[in-house]
Amino acid sequence: MRNNKVSANPKKVAGERAAELVDDGMIVGLGTGSTAYYAIQKLGGRVREGLLIRGIPTSEQSRIQAEREGIPLIDFAETIRIDLTIDGADEIDPAFNLIKGGGGALFREKLVATASHREIIVADESKLKDRLGGFPLPVEVVPFGWQYVRLNLEALGCRARLRVSENGAFVTDNGNHILDCAFGAIDDPADLERRIGAICGVVESGLFVGLAHQVVIGKADGTLEERSRPQCGVDVRRKT
Ligand code: 5RP
């Protein structure tokens, strides 16, 4: 018997749908990762068809892709207004709190998210969790004295590992390191974000609390689920 089920790439489905939500004249935050990749690719296509936008990339990787796609960029220093940002996530809880930073771009992603009028998270279903913490929390730290910073992070109840690449310690776009902190289930993301942020030497954590307004979930059967955080406007739960 032939199996007629068509299998879609859920990340592509989500990324491309979010790119359709961008309008002429917008300043758009361009996220990082394999799902945001499809949003940037689709936006590139729309720009070539006449869409007028300017992008602010959240990483060098996204900047290179956006330039290749011909998306005009604007320096963050030139604006205080970002209309809409499309970015991925490593985990999403029911309150739209996130763990981000699997790709190491969490600091720029968070700065751009805090400046964004609307933050749209694109992901596949595997990123939806009842509670955050299965994915070790990335924390960006300054290289000077990172071992001491690690001790202070571990005092909060995690096992922290220095992220490495083939050339040794992973270095972020900002010249820092990443400590991946295995906390296990995180009961109070806002409290943990505050406590991590209070440690000297921490640049930023990958906990995004209250920053996401909308999530677009792509599924393997090619359908989508879009949800808006209720307090951010109408709850537009929609299935297509
Ligand atoms: C990069 C990120 C990414 O958005 C996150 O890791 C999700 O990536 P992907 O879409 O490849 O699963 O936070 O720092």
Side-chain angles (χ1 to χ4, degrees):
M1 213 166 81
R2 271 246 298 285
N3 182 356
N4 288 327
K5 266 196 178 160
V6 183
S7 172
N9 176 345
K11 294 187 177 200
K12 187 167 189 280
V13 170
E16 290 188 346
R17 165 62 188 153
E20 287 171 6
L21 302 174
V22 172
D23 289 326
D24 259 342
M26 282 185 169
I27 293 180
V28 183
L30 305 171
T32 299
S34 56
T35 319
Y37 170 90
Y38 290 110
I40 296 172
Q41 188 180 59
K42 176 82 176 181
L43 280 175
R46 292 193 59 202
V47 163
R48 289 190 292 280
E49 287 166 5
L51 179 72
L52 294 169
I53 58 166
R54 286 174 296 167
I56 297 187
T58 55
S59 64
E60 287 306 299
Q61 183 189 314
S62 298
R63 181 186 60 75
I64 290 165
Q65 187 196 355
E67 283 181 351
R68 210 176 44 226
E69 293 286 350
I71 300 173
L73 301 181
I74 178 173
D75 198 306
F76 202 175
E78 290 174 50
T79 182
I80 50 161
R81 177 183 65 98
I82 300 175
D83 296 294
L84 182 158
T85 291
I86 303 172
D87 204 350
D90 300 299
E91 289 190 341
I92 306 165
D93 80 6
F96 288 15
N97 298 314
L98 315 171
I99 286 184
K100 286 184 51 54
L106 67 98
F107 174 66
R108 294 189 190 187
E109 290 174 330
K110 199 162 180 175
L111 195 58
V112 167
T114 60
S116 296
H117 184 65
R118 195 162 146 217
E119 173 89 358
I120 301 180
I121 298 301
V122 288
D124 62 48
E125 283 181 287
S126 71
K127 305 292 180 68
L128 296 173
K129 307 289 177 189
D130 289 334
R131 262 205 300 186
L132 300 181
F135 190 92
L137 176 66
V139 178
E140 183 158 344
V141 299
V142 293
F144 179 75
W146 68 262
Q147 298 88 340
Y148 179 68
V149 180
R150 177 172 67 181
L151 286 178
N152 283 313
L153 282 166
E154 288 189 331
L156 296 181
C158 69
R159 177 80 214 277
R161 280 178 191 276
L162 181 69
R163 189 178 297 184
V164 291
S165 65
E166 63 268 24
N167 307 315
F170 177 86
V171 178
T172 69
D173 288 342
N174 317 302
N176 298 314
H177 293 331
I178 298 274
L179 292 170
D180 289 304
C181 301
F183 279 98
I186 297 171
D187 292 327
D188 187 341
D191 179 59
L192 184 59
E193 185 191 26
R194 261 193 308 274
R195 287 193 293 148
I196 292 174
I199 296 174
C200 183
V202 165
V203 176
E204 198 45 83
S205 82
L207 274 172
F208 283 45
V209 176
L211 292 176
H213 300 95
Q214 190 174 347
V215 296
V216 176
I217 302 297
K219 303 187 180 179
D221 63 4
T223 61
L224 284 162
E225 187 170 347
E226 297 177 42
R227 301 183 197 172
S228 290
R229 215 172 69 207
Q231 64 269 39
C232 292
V234 259
D235 186 357
V236 290
R237 272 165 213 259
R238 191 188 114 165
K239 290 181 189 212
T240 49

